[in-house]
Amino acid sequence: MLIRTGRDGFQHPHSSEITPRAVYEDRRQILKWMATGAAGAALATWAQREALAQQVQRPGKLAQLAAVRSTVSGAVTMEKVTEYKDATTYNNFYEFGTDKSDPAQNAHTLKTRPWTVEVEGLVKKPAKYAIEDLLKLGAQEERIYRLRCVEGWSMVVPWVGYSLSRLIEKVEPLGNAKYVEFLTLADKATMPFVGSRVLDWPYAEALRMDEAMNPLTLLTFGMYGEVLPNQNGAPVRLVVPWKYGFKSAKSIVKIRFTEQMPKTAWNKAAANEYGFYSNVNPNVDHPRWSQATERRIGEDGLFAKKRKTLMFNGYEAQVGQMYAGMDLKKDY
Ligand code: MTE
């Protein structure tokens, strides 16, 4: 993603983005770098994260989360699941830093209890849920989803949670509620990068009501059969598998129903790069990154061929209808 430099609106990718992307560029490119010495730095960053991944043990202290395999259409891909060590050390969670390994290193300071999620705005039954009650509101299901980041990488993760629609039905939205906004924790005391100018905090995301109600939209409490580790958005996050990863807000504290389209964090930072919809679409490139292909974290090695990105990240049968008649180049 982007870091703002602040000077005449010019923006450029942080070294942490350049590095992993560059590492996977074609071999000739890498050899060229080697000649210039730039590859040394790139590989050092890569090696650093690999070393961190090797150290990651499944923390026995994370509670198991009993769940049944989901029967929702499209909710379980048969693709190879990303290893836990990779899904938990290669993260975007800017509240804890901008390098991919920062969340795994820094997010231990996040306090996930007590935790409440406030539901407000255009609903008949606004409520403040303690996380313990929210956990029990629906039957926990395991969903094996592809998650595709706008930066060009993807993972396959067994998430645990229930359809967000379960909560939405409970609070009874009013007729004029057209959007659902998600606000996440912004606590300077425990999140070292809150206060930095990277984003306008708190991290905010939103969905149109039909997207929020789509059965694939998962209110997520766990992964790999355990509660979420902090770096993946504990204690509760969203996973919206047909959209770029940044729509899947982590560590949610507020869910608000609105009539107007809410402003979202990345859209505010760079509207021409991050649209409201942000559906995975191999035919619409990000201004600086092609979206036609992707690399699978932990699986595709240094010189592996990238895999083709699928329309709506492979969930077209389940979600395509919601966008019928829309110009997806305009509404990116
Ligand atoms: N949520 C918050 N609160 N802060 C963030 O920086 N990053 C987003 C999203 N949710 C982010 C966030 C981005 S860019 C991605 S790709 C996914 O989280 C990454 O999720 P993962 O680290 O579990 O793979």
Side-chain angles (χ1 to χ4, degrees):
M1 308 288 277
L2 287 177
I3 308 293
R4 249 199 282 221
T5 63
R7 220 164 50 85
D8 44 73
F10 178 72
Q11 311 192 8
H12 66 83
H14 188 268
S15 60
S16 63
E17 278 95 87
I18 297 167
T19 305
R21 187 162 58 111
V23 167
Y24 285 98
E25 295 285 312
D26 75 41
R27 189 180 186 140
R28 263 203 350 259
Q29 184 65 38
I30 292 198
L31 292 176
K32 216 155 73 189
W33 284 353
M34 283 184 162
T36 65
L43 290 171
T45 306
W46 176 252
Q48 216 176 4
R49 194 199 66 82
E50 270 302 293
L52 182 69
Q54 293 310 323
Q55 287 163 26
V56 165
Q57 314 233 317
R58 299 256 319 219
K61 61 182 182 342
L62 288 189
Q64 298 287 316
L65 209 51
V68 295
R69 185 60 69 90
S70 180
T71 54
V72 167
S73 168
V76 178
T77 166
M78 293 303 158
E79 281 179 75
K80 186 166 173 262
V81 166
T82 300
E83 281 191 50
Y84 183 90
K85 70 174 174 59
D86 292 316
T88 56
T89 57
Y90 192 92
N91 301 105
N92 278 336
F93 199 167
Y94 275 37
E95 289 84 337
F96 293 101
T98 53
D99 281 345
K100 295 291 177 263
S101 54
D102 284 346
Q105 269 166 336
N106 300 335
H108 57 90
T109 53
L110 175 67
K111 251 186 85 206
T112 59
R113 293 290 188 284
W115 191 279
T116 54
V117 177
E118 209 169 343
V119 185
E120 61 172 42
L122 303 174
V123 286
K124 269 199 206 115
K125 297 182 175 163
K128 198 169 186 174
Y129 289 95
I131 187 70
E132 292 79 7
D133 297 331
L134 198 61
L135 258 161
K136 287 185 282 196
L137 200 69
Q140 298 284 337
E141 291 182 6
E142 183 175 73
R143 309 260 182 104
I144 306 181
Y145 282 156
R146 282 179 291 273
L147 182 86
R148 167 65 159 80
C149 182
V150 71
E151 295 161 349
W153 50 268
S154 60
M155 297 187 184
V156 177
V157 175
W159 303 104
V160 181
Y162 53 79
S163 294
L164 177 67
S165 60
R166 176 84 190 89
L167 170 64
I168 296 179
E169 278 159 6
K170 192 96 182 153
V171 297
E172 299 183 32
L174 300 174
N176 55 344
K178 297 202 172 64
Y179 297 92
V180 190
E181 184 181 21
F182 305 89
L183 299 169
T184 77
L185 185 71
D187 176 26
K188 280 188 185 160
T190 55
M191 299 171 135
F193 266 64
V194 169
S196 75
R197 292 169 59 222
V198 178
L199 285 173
D200 191 5
W201 311 100
Y203 193 95
E205 259 310 333
L207 296 171
R208 210 170 60 186
M209 186 64 95
D210 58 339
E211 299 176 322
M213 286 296 290
N214 187 285
L216 287 181
T217 301
L218 191 69
L219 193 63
T220 307
F221 302 87
M223 61 196 287
Y224 299 84
E226 295 168 1
V227 299
L228 289 169
N230 290 356
Q231 63 267 37
N232 290 86
V236 59
R237 68 175 292 174
L238 211 61
V239 181
V240 193
W242 71 96
K243 292 180 180 281
Y244 293 117
F246 65 89
K247 298 294 290 182
S248 296
K250 294 175 167 180
S251 304
I252 295 168
V253 292
K254 196 172 275 193
I255 300 178
R256 188 189 285 151
F257 290 74
T258 68
E259 186 162 15
Q260 305 300 326
M261 184 184 275
K263 294 230 181 305
T264 61
W266 282 107
N267 184 259
K268 274 197 273 182
N272 63 324
E273 303 206 0
Y274 309 108
F276 177 84
Y277 287 96
S278 293
N279 293 314
V280 174
N281 188 342
N283 309 313
V284 178
D285 284 340
H286 181 277
R288 289 177 294 110
W289 303 311
S290 162
Q291 298 299 343
T293 59
E294 66 199 56
R295 63 190 173 85
R296 195 55 54 83
I297 294 300
E299 196 178 311
D300 295 347
L302 268 184
F303 304 114
K305 222 169 147 245
K306 292 181 179 180
R307 59 184 75 207
K308 280 204 160 84
T309 290
L310 302 173
M311 187 66 200
F312 296 113
N313 204 20
Y315 300 96
E316 186 163 15
Q318 289 78 25
V319 304
Q321 196 48 39
M322 291 192 289
Y323 309 101
M326 277 175 65
D327 178 353
L328 298 178
K329 282 205 162 69
K330 204 171 125 266
D331 284 318
Y332 54 92

